[in-house]
Amino acid sequence: MKINPRYYPAIIIAAYVIFLLLGILLGFGPERGGEGHGNSALIQIAFATMETLA
Amino acid sequence: MTTVIREKPFSLAKSRRVIQWLAVIGTFVLGLRHIMPGEASRGGSFDSFCAFGGIETLLPYLSTGHLLKSTNLLNFSVLIATLGVSLVAGRAFCGWLCGLGALQDFIAEWTRKLLGERHHIRGKQSKAILPLRLPAAVDRPLRYAKYFVLVIILFASLYTAFPPLREFCPVRAVFSLKMTPLLWLALGIFLAGSILVERFWCKYLCPLGATLAIFNKISPVRLVTDTNHCNNCGRCDIECSMGIADVPINLDHPECVRCMECLNTCARDGSLTIQIRNKENVT
């Protein structure tokens, strides 16, 4: 399917914004108060699941 | 009497230039923001907005549960966004959204102007002597250097406290406004390299570009050549900032940054089109 070149910049920007928001929603958000050493909620669940399975 | 309203012709090149300027200004603002007092209270260091920082800190994070210093979880979101764009449109991040890539395009353009090219004519070889195109025998082996840099950095990230590229990173050298002697050196090499060879950093050294190269082969949004229309005039080869040879048959080349300059330059309507990959147009 052909895409009108007019829409190409919008596709790129939309993809970037959507995936950025997805990342933030997954818990990889900016941290206040300096460098982060904590885990995102997603990673905590993943680690907990792995520990349970082990 | 009827009034004919003519639609203003759309220029992909102008849109790209606007987005590139926004990328440069945005990255500069991030740098400016971090020389202001109270940096830590505003979402982390300059490094935490870097997509490659996400790659650098990924292995230590998975192996120890701790991030490298100066990175934070935001790096992963920026990395996911960059990978997302690449998943959709190949290395379009490099050609459209990367501040450093944009700066290299500007430097190449300014260099040509300074060296006598007043008006650039699309598809015509520039009269300016710089930036150079290295001979294939030199250029081709050098292109593999960025994959070597990527492997070294991934390995080093397991043993370092800070992201390994941090002290030599040209993005920090250009935009972070916090200079060290090593960053001055990186800035000098970056500027000299970009004047000598168009997109020097992207072609030979960028580890993020090396990571994204694979996506050109799998992304659904891609350029397609219609061999019935293309007459192999070579205008697109001249205009390619990444120096890809025989562009019409190498549209999925790992080096392509999807800048669409070939499409802008093509004089034959329908020779190059942007398409969504399907079974019929997979080459």
Side-chain angles (χ1 to χ4, degrees):
Chain A
M1 188 180 80
K2 284 184 185 175
I3 298 173
N4 188 333
R6 184 183 291 268
Y7 301 126
Y8 187 72
I11 290 170
I12 294 169
I13 292 172
Y16 191 84
V17 172
I18 289 167
F19 280 96
L20 184 68
L21 291 175
L22 180 72
I24 290 171
L25 287 174
L26 286 173
F28 302 118
E31 292 179 358
R32 302 284 160 183
E35 290 124 19
H37 294 276
N39 288 328
S40 80
L42 183 80
I43 296 291
Q44 281 174 356
I45 292 167
F47 282 152
T49 311
M50 279 161 61
E51 277 174 16
T52 311
L53 290 174
Chain B
M1 190 176 146
T2 54
T3 311
V4 179
I5 301 169
R6 279 192 185 165
E7 202 180 337
K8 205 176 173 186
F10 173 75
S11 167
L12 200 58
K14 277 186 186 164
S15 306
R16 177 166 168 263
R17 191 44 54 99
V18 169
I19 292 171
Q20 283 189 308
W21 268 113
L22 290 175
V24 169
I25 293 166
T27 318
F28 181 73
V29 168
L30 279 180
L32 201 62
R33 179 178 169 275
H34 286 285
I35 58 166
M36 303 291 182
E39 168 186 276
S41 65
R42 285 189 304 238
S45 67
F46 181 77
D47 303 357
S48 55
F49 293 85
C50 171
F52 192 67
I55 295 173
E56 287 176 291
T57 202
L58 185 62
L59 288 181
Y61 187 54
L62 292 176
S63 58
T64 66
H66 289 278
L67 297 160
L68 294 177
K69 285 182 181 175
S70 87
T71 63
N72 78 32
L73 290 175
L74 183 62
N75 284 97
F76 293 131
S77 285
V78 182
L79 177 61
I80 289 169
T82 307
L83 294 178
V85 173
S86 309
L87 204 60
V88 172
R91 278 179 72 181
F93 175 84
C94 307
W96 289 71
L97 302 175
C98 175
L100 204 64
L103 203 61
Q104 288 173 91
D105 282 346
F106 300 156
I107 290 172
E109 193 182 313
W110 295 333
T111 304
R112 282 195 204 100
K113 279 191 177 164
L114 278 172
L115 295 176
E117 189 191 63
R118 284 197 174 178
H119 299 290
H120 177 64
I121 301 167
R122 282 194 171 277
K124 275 203 168 183
Q125 202 79 51
S126 171
K127 287 174 189 167
I129 52 166
L130 293 175
L132 297 167
R133 278 213 176 174
L134 295 182
V138 181
D139 177 74
R140 207 165 292 164
L142 280 177
R143 300 248 181 182
Y144 291 103
K146 58 179 171 290
Y147 299 100
F148 184 66
V149 170
L150 175 64
V151 171
I152 296 279
I153 287 171
L154 286 178
F155 185 72
S157 69
L158 292 167
Y159 302 98
T160 53
F162 283 93
L165 188 64
R166 189 174 188 265
E167 292 307 316
F168 315 95
C169 177
V171 180
R172 286 189 76 223
V174 175
F175 296 107
S176 84
L177 308 171
K178 280 183 179 174
M179 298 302 277
T180 63
L182 274 176
L183 285 179
W184 279 114
L185 181 68
L187 180 65
I189 292 171
F190 170 77
L191 289 176
S194 304
I195 290 168
L196 288 171
V197 180
E198 196 167 5
R199 284 209 174 231
F200 162 82
W201 174 256
C202 309
K203 281 177 183 168
Y204 306 128
L205 293 171
C206 181
L208 183 61
T211 312
L212 302 183
I214 185 74
F215 288 97
N216 278 356
K217 299 283 182 195
I218 57 174
S219 65
V221 178
R222 62 204 289 261
L223 270 168
V224 175
T225 309
D226 183 342
T227 47
N228 296 323
H229 283 79
C230 177
N231 62 354
N232 293 314
C233 64
R235 284 166 57 97
C236 45
D237 292 2
I238 292 168
E239 215 56 42
C240 180
S241 63
M242 290 299 283
I244 297 169
D246 301 322
V247 169
I249 57 166
N250 282 315
L251 293 171
D252 285 343
H253 197 285
E255 294 291 311
C256 173
V257 293
R258 302 282 166 96
C259 62
M260 301 293 164
E261 288 300 322
C262 47
L263 179 66
N264 288 321
T265 307
C266 186
R268 291 174 76 93
D269 271 352
S271 290
L272 290 173
T273 48
I274 304 173
Q275 294 193 13
I276 293 183
R277 188 188 296 258
N278 57 31
K279 281 178 186 170
E280 285 78 40
N281 66 21
V282 171
T283 48

